[in-house]
Amino acid sequence: MPQHVYNCGKSNKSYFICCWLQDKMYWLLLTTVLVFIDCVTVKGGCSGCSDTCQMYNELKAEIDDLKAARIPVAFYAYLSANLAISSVSTHSIIKYDVVDLNLGNGYDASSGQFTAPSDGLYVIHITTGARDSSHAVVELISNGVIKDITWADSMNHPDRTVATTVTPLDLRKGDKVNARIGPAKGGAVLESTTHIRCSFSGFKV
């Protein structure tokens, strides 16, 4: 291939084509299309080219992953009202029912779970408020493993306490993260009002 094809200077006539093809996703897309054409038109469909079709599926999956990696991911959810401590059991997931932000659609309010839509480094944040002789340990869980712990503790005094965690997590696509009630709890409520907001949030770096 002539040397000038690799030159992406703006004065070169091949500028737009060259720079377009240098992007990895477009190389994969071109290869995938060629493999698919070879599979369907030359070898008569997938029944006659299992190896080629497997390559096509792998390339398509890689393109889908690249697309997903470019989508921004961020979520923010909070409790719409106070949570009665007597109503939750140890290790129950806290379901933050008001979803204020959900870029990438990773958070599910019905389950309280965040599912990573793509591989990457995420920062997860939990805020918990307790009021008037109430307290609760709140754990950050990733794939069933405790990653961080905090304790909102107003157990021995009539006042408010706020506890927070900010935790970086290296997540793979499909990994699940949630906040749950820990082994210590008691009193009346975790408060989520105009004074304190119990929330669960995160974003991909």
Side-chain angles (χ1 to χ4, degrees), residues 145-196:
V145 178
I146 297 174
K147 294 296 184 178
D148 209 343
I149 304 171
T150 189
W151 188 12
D153 179 18
S154 290
M155 183 167 51
N156 294 322
H157 51 91
D159 202 351
R160 292 180 168 90
T161 302
V162 177
T164 66
T165 59
V166 179
T167 313
L169 295 176
D170 183 17
L171 300 178
R172 303 297 95 188
K173 180 180 179 180
D175 285 353
K176 296 186 181 300
V177 181
N178 61 264
R180 76 180 187 188
I181 300 296
K185 64 184 181 70
V189 297
L190 295 182
E191 184 175 9
S192 195
T193 64
T194 55
H195 301 291
I196 298 173

Side-chain angles (χ1 to χ4, degrees), residues 19 27 49 58 83 113 125 140 142 147 169 176 201:
C19 292
W27 272 114
C49 58
E58 290 173 353
L83 180 64
Q113 298 257 21
H125 179 212
L140 174 63
S142 177
K147 294 296 184 178
L169 295 176
K176 296 186 181 300
S201 60

Side-chain angles (χ1 to χ4, degrees), residues 10-190:
K10 290 189 177 180
S11 61
N12 193 289
K13 293 180 180 179
S14 302
Y15 170 74
F16 291 104
I17 297 175
C18 174
C19 292
W20 180 74
L21 289 176
Q22 282 186 349
D23 187 283
K24 180 181 179 182
M25 188 171 69
Y26 292 106
W27 272 114
L28 284 170
L29 180 61
L30 178 61
T31 305
T32 303
V33 170
L34 292 175
V35 168
F36 180 76
I37 291 173
D38 175 65
C39 175
V40 174
T41 65
V42 178
K43 298 183 179 179
C46 286
S47 61
C49 58
S50 58
D51 291 341
T52 305
C53 285
Q54 181 179 354
M55 183 184 300
Y56 167 77
N57 290 331
E58 290 173 353
L59 288 169
K60 185 177 182 301
E62 188 168 351
I63 289 173
D64 290 342
D65 288 343
L66 283 169
K67 288 180 179 178
R70 294 184 176 192
I71 297 173
V73 180
F75 73 98
Y76 171 64
Y78 60 92
L79 295 179
S80 59
N82 293 341
L83 180 64
I85 293 176
S86 61
S87 70
V88 293
S89 58
T90 299
H91 294 165
S92 61
I93 295 175
I94 302 173
K95 298 177 182 179
Y96 301 86
D97 57 310
V98 179
V99 182
D100 191 68
L101 178 69
N102 200 12
L103 297 178
N105 296 314
Y107 179 71
D108 176 24
S110 65
S111 65
Q113 298 257 21
F114 169 73
T115 303
S118 58
D119 298 353
L121 178 63
Y122 292 77
V123 178
I124 307 298
H125 179 212
I126 298 171
T127 296
T128 306
R131 188 187 72 197
D132 295 344
S133 302
S134 300
H135 70 101
V137 169
V138 175
E139 301 170 332
L140 174 63
I141 306 298
S142 177
N143 295 328
V145 178
I146 297 174
K147 294 296 184 178
D148 209 343
I149 304 171
T150 189
W151 188 12
D153 179 18
S154 290
M155 183 167 51
N156 294 322
H157 51 91
D159 202 351
R160 292 180 168 90
T161 302
V162 177
T164 66
T165 59
V166 179
T167 313
L169 295 176
D170 183 17
L171 300 178
R172 303 297 95 188
K173 180 180 179 180
D175 285 353
K176 296 186 181 300
V177 181
N178 61 264
R180 76 180 187 188
I181 300 296
K185 64 184 181 70
V189 297
L190 295 182

